[in-house]
Amino acid sequence: MALLGWELRKIWRPALLAAIALIGLVFWQIRTEFYIEHLGSSWEDEIGLANRWLEEYGTTIEPAERSELDGQLAEAKAAFSAQVAQLDGAAEAGVRDWPSWLAWEDQYNEDARAERERNRDLYWAVHSNTNCGEIEALETFLERYDRLAAGDASALGHVADWPDWVAEWETRRLEEAAARPEAFGFLPGGVTSDTNDFFHYFAIWCSFSAALLLAPTLVRDRLYRTRAMLWASRRGRGVLGAQMGAALLSGLLLTLVNFAVYLGPFLSTDALTFWSCPMTSVWQLAFPWFDWTYGQYVLSLCALTVVLALATSGFTVVLSWFSGAYVAMLLKLLPLVFVLEWGLVPWVMEGAGTFWGDPARLLGLPGGEWVVAALCAALALLLCGLVCRRQRRRDLL
């Protein structure tokens, strides 16, 4: 344990940590901060309705409660009539209630550009100062709800057009999910989409920061000729195992630090309101492969991020072992970063656990993202083990 502690102190150098923190601050500002500050901002009307329904109905709306939504729609349209009456130019344009607004909006979209420019102020005034977005969201929900209640499973999500076997696979999943009560959930699809976007970039940062931390780890030993002293005895060769273990543990610890820094603001958003909501929602944009709740989905993305960070840590420390100088390590690190941060990690995280994810389609297996990540982590650990074994068996001469 004393040796492990000493190796950990060698890795966690203040100057290197300060540099990683500075890079992390820049990454926060240009990437992840946007998805935290604007989580669900494009879906405010759906989120507002969902928050209200959580208090009234729980996490799903039963068919017996469906008629109550008609009353809510009628109230929303009556409120719209009162709101639009307060807008300058609305009455003159013939906009007095919801049907007249729809007719005016259709004509606006068909008008020539010059005519649209003259009416643009009224168009945006209605969108900004009335509840038209709420009405549209409610009507969309009711239309999909009724289709689902009538047995149309396609109301739950979009099925891929290619290849045919994927479309059949996804259709079967939708039909199975439509038979469960959770299908009548109302988790806004934008919450799931923005959550996936956040973890997409968060996983990239966790992987990249682990590579930065561990890249110099074993290069330093070669520069200070520590390896030659270790090779002089069989017992000294076992130190490499402790060094590898310290490096992998450091990668995991840094990931936990990133979780504390990045997930704190994420957990402070309204997303946690939907923690118990089923992912199989009438509003879902990217339908999930599993009958998860939103909270379980978030935890699964956290686990996927940890596994990818562990894989990066393993690959980085192996490259560090085979590097004789910092420049050589940098030249090896650049291709690794390119493959992981611009290739593997985004590919695995994009749409993870949903119909949007490519690994599941490639492997023909729901949860393919976790299989790919686990295989990468296993390969990294295997390489670390092989390096340690080769060190122990190296000829003393």
Side-chain angles (χ1 to χ4, degrees), residues 347-350 356-365 367-370 372:
W347 183 66
V348 168
M349 295 300 298
E350 182 68 29
W356 288 353
D358 288 331
R361 294 182 178 184
L362 178 65
L363 298 177
L365 177 68
E369 298 85 358
W370 287 266
V372 171

Side-chain angles (χ1 to χ4, degrees), residues 49-64:
L49 289 170
N51 282 325
R52 185 200 312 170
W53 293 342
L54 272 173
E55 298 178 359
E56 297 179 2
Y57 305 114
T59 57
T60 60
I61 296 179
E62 303 296 333

Side-chain angles (χ1 to χ4, degrees), residues 80-81 83-97 100-101 104 122 125-126 130:
F80 175 84
S81 299
Q83 293 166 357
V84 80
Q86 306 298 320
L87 300 180
D88 294 336
E92 291 79 358
V95 179
R96 295 180 175 84
D97 53 18
S100 62
W101 159 249
W104 186 91
L122 177 58
V126 172
T130 69

Side-chain angles (χ1 to χ4, degrees), residues 207-208 211-212 215 312 315-316 319-320 323 325-344:
S207 176
F208 181 58
L212 293 177
T312 302
F315 290 132
T316 302
L319 290 181
S320 180
S323 300
Y326 290 124
V327 174
M329 179 62 225
L330 180 61
L331 294 176
K332 293 182 177 70
L333 185 63
L334 289 177
L336 177 67
V337 168
F338 180 81
V339 171
L340 292 179
E341 319 316 335
W342 277 271
L344 178 67

Side-chain angles (χ1 to χ4, degrees), residues 156-168:
L156 285 176
H158 175 69
V159 175
D161 296 328
W162 57 272
D164 291 340
W165 67 271
V166 172
E168 295 175 1

